[in-house]
């Protein structure tokens, strides 16, 4: 996210900068697929994928596959306050064994790929030649893990403990967070498995959790700014906070406002808890994050966002029947035949004519309604928004954390050089999310969740068109990987640089040309939808009312 204000090390009153402090290094070790609980350093990014089991009930599982890519640009030091939650490197991830994962490397590196689905800018590697090095590094961490559990282990413990209470079951298994009703029977299948994955790209964090028991999918994208602490806190806490608020929800009643209210309360509670820590650690008040959360339960999508990350739905356009409807008065039987022909052609054409439907709202100074809201809440301040930024600092108008723009007490803790001219006591930004429910239907094809790094280069309809074209040519390949390559090509073109030269730049230097980006693409399975009625089952009057 392009909102960095200052280098945070020297910006707090009473704290001295340490110019000799060690910087985190970028390890180039590729992932070994099948080794769970791994947070090893990866190349310049990584892909994570999940494919639904073919044995799953198609009438209850609303998605077919999940593809995720994280591409880092910011080079940042490890979290200074959230060390218990933060990753150790600038591009890494963890997952349960049900997710597959690959490191992304420049094609000019020693890794190679023969997969024709990709342009060759980035190659995916899961080489076993460095297995010994990875295992040796992991062995050295084992003792530390016993005393200071990793973020991955904390997540597993969080998921299993919450789901155990949520279901009244008992925990079975170690990496999948399995929950059963009653006792564990290792000879039986595992209907209560929890599949999870999470990753990091610079200051971006992404999180995915799928509970088979409840057919509930959670996806969170946390696009941080000014440091990693806020997105790390969200990664460690927001999913559990959401589960807490969802306890007692009676899903069968279809009370969508109740679900959205629970999501909003979870975010508000997390924001309050994070900012409470800023009283003793004021540097946290300078750090914030955009938030995008999606819950999928059956046919119901629940979206929540603050900031400028987006959820975009690819939806098949309505069939154009204008030419047929004009003939309704001529010959009804002939009209029915022509209508059937048009609708059958429409059904056969699965992807053509997709439109992009944005399900979230951007909260930034690029939108006049947000600027107008801030100005109306600060009538005594002649310049609440200047140079396209709130108090000259942030482009986003709503965010998690960033307490220095929410209360004057946190602004006052900063050194004079980094304070804003805070007038009055009203917050300049808030954490009030945009909330939306969407009922999935037969025209919905896939959902794209992404931080703003994608939309720095492409419009919504361009992204949908690219995914549509790519998946039509390479049905089994990873469209998120494809979008990552397009971002790099676009960044190189804008900078008038060779794309391989740009990729070869170290993180931090590459931030001059593109942002961190996390993309999750969820393909929707048409089997969930009830079959459309046959045309000959539709009455003449219904046809005339189309």
């Amino acid at each position: 996210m392009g909102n960095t204000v200052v280098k945070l090390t020297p910006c707090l009153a009473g704290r001295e900068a340490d110019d000799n402090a060690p910087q985190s290094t970028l390890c180039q070790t590729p992932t070994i697929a099948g080794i769970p609980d791994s947070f090893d350093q990866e190349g310049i990014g990584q892909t994570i994928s999940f494919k639904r089991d073919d044995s799953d009930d198609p009438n209850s599982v609303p998605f077919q596959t999940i593809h995720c890519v994280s591409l880092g640009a910011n080079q940042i030091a490890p979290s200074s306050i959230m060390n218990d939650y933060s990753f150790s490197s600038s591009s890494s991830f963890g997952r349960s064994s049900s997710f597959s994962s690959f490191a992304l490397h420049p094609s000019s590196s020693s890794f190679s790929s023969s997969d024709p689905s990709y342009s060759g800018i980035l190659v995916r590697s899961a080489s076993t030649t460095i297995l010994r090095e990875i295992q040796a590094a992991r062995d050295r961490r084992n003792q530390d893990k016993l005393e200071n559990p990793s973020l991955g282990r904390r997540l597993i413990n969080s998921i299993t403990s919450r789901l155990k209470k949520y279901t009244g079951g008992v925990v079975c298994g170690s990496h999948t967070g399995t929950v059963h009703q009653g006792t564990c029977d290792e000879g039986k299948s595992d209907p209560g498995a929890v599949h999870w994955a999470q990753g990091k790209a610079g200051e971006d964090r992404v999180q995915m959790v799928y509970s088979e028991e409840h057919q509930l999918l959670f996806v969170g994208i946390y696009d941080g700014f000014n440091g990693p602490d806020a997105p790390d806190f969200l990664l460690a806490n927001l999913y559990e906070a959401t589960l807490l608020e969802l306890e007692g929800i009676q899903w069968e009643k279809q009370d969508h406002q109740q679900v959205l209210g629970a999501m909003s309360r979870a975010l508000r509670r997390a924001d309050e808890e994070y900012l409470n820590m800023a009283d003793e650690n004021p540097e946290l008040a300078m750090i914030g994050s955009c938030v995008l959360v999606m819950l999928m339960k059956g046919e119901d999508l629940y979206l929540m966002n603050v900031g400028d990350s987006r959820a975009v739905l690819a939806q098949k356009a309505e069939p154009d029947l204008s030419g047929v409807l004009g003939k309704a008065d001529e010959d009804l039987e002939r009209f029915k035949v022509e209508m059937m022909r048009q609708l059958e052609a429409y059904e056969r054409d699965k992807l053509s004519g997709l439109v992009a439907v944005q399900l979230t709202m951007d909260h930034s100074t690029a939108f006049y309604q947000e600027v107008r809201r801030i100005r109306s809440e600060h009538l005594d301040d002649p310049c609440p928004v200047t140079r396209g930024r709130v108090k000259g600092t942030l482009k986003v108008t709503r965010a998690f954390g960033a307490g220095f723009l929410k209360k004057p007490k946190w602004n006052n803790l900063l050194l004079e050089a980094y304070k804003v001219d805070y007038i009055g006591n009203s917050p300049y930004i808030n954490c009030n999310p945009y909330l939306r429910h969407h009922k999935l239907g037969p025209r919905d094809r896939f959902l794209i969740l992404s931080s703003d790094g994608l939309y720095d280069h492409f419009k919504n309809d361009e992204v949908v068109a690219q995914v549509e074209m790519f998946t039509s040519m390479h049905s089994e390949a990873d469209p998120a990987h494809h979008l990552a390559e397009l971002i790099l090509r676009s960044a190189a073109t804008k900078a008038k640089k060779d794309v391989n030269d740009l990729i070869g730049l170290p993180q931090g230097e590459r931030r001059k040309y593109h942002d961190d980006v996390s993309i999750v693409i969820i393909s929707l399975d048409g089997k969930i939808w009830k079959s459309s009625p046959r045309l000959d089952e539709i009455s003449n009057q219904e046809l005339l009312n189309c």
Side-chain angles (χ1 to χ4, degrees), residues 273-287:
E273 291 179 356
Y274 174 79
L275 289 176
N276 284 339
M277 296 191 301
D279 290 333
E280 296 183 1
N281 304 284
E283 53 264 56
L284 293 182
M286 197 75 181
I287 302 169

Side-chain angles (χ1 to χ4, degrees), residues 335-353:
F335 165 69
K336 290 176 65 175
V337 171
E338 182 65 17
M339 178 75 80
M340 178 181 291
R341 187 184 68 81
Q342 293 281 0
L343 291 177
E344 287 178 347
Y346 173 81
E347 289 297 324
R348 285 195 302 269
D349 194 355
K350 295 297 183 183
L351 286 175
S352 179

Side-chain angles (χ1 to χ4, degrees), residues 512-533:
K512 298 176 182 178
Y513 306 102
H514 72 87
D515 199 356
D516 302 325
V517 63
S518 297
I519 304 169
V520 177
I521 301 178
I522 303 171
S523 64
L524 304 172
D525 189 331
K527 293 180 182 178
I528 191 173
W529 318 121
K530 296 179 180 179
S531 299
S532 301

Side-chain angles (χ1 to χ4, degrees), residues 428-447:
Y428 284 92
I429 67 171
N430 61 53
C431 196
N432 299 332
Y434 176 79
L435 301 166
R436 180 165 179 171
H437 165 260
H438 174 78
K439 177 72 74 173
L440 290 170
R443 295 194 296 118
D444 298 328
R445 293 295 183 260
F446 53 84
L447 180 66

Side-chain angles (χ1 to χ4, degrees), residues 3 27 75 77 91 102 130 149 151 158 160 164 183 195 216 219 258 298 385 406 442 449 488 494 497 504 525 528:
N3 283 307
C27 171
Q75 179 67 52
S91 181
F102 294 89
I130 55 164
L151 178 57
S158 169
T160 54
K164 181 176 178 180
T183 59
H195 310 281
L216 182 67
V219 178
Q258 191 177 18
V385 177
K406 291 179 177 177
L449 309 167
L488 293 172
K494 289 180 179 179
K497 295 176 70 71
D525 189 331
I528 191 173

Side-chain angles (χ1 to χ4, degrees), residues 121 202 296 305 311 425 457 508:
I121 298 174
M296 181 184 289
N305 83 288
N425 294 307
H457 298 272

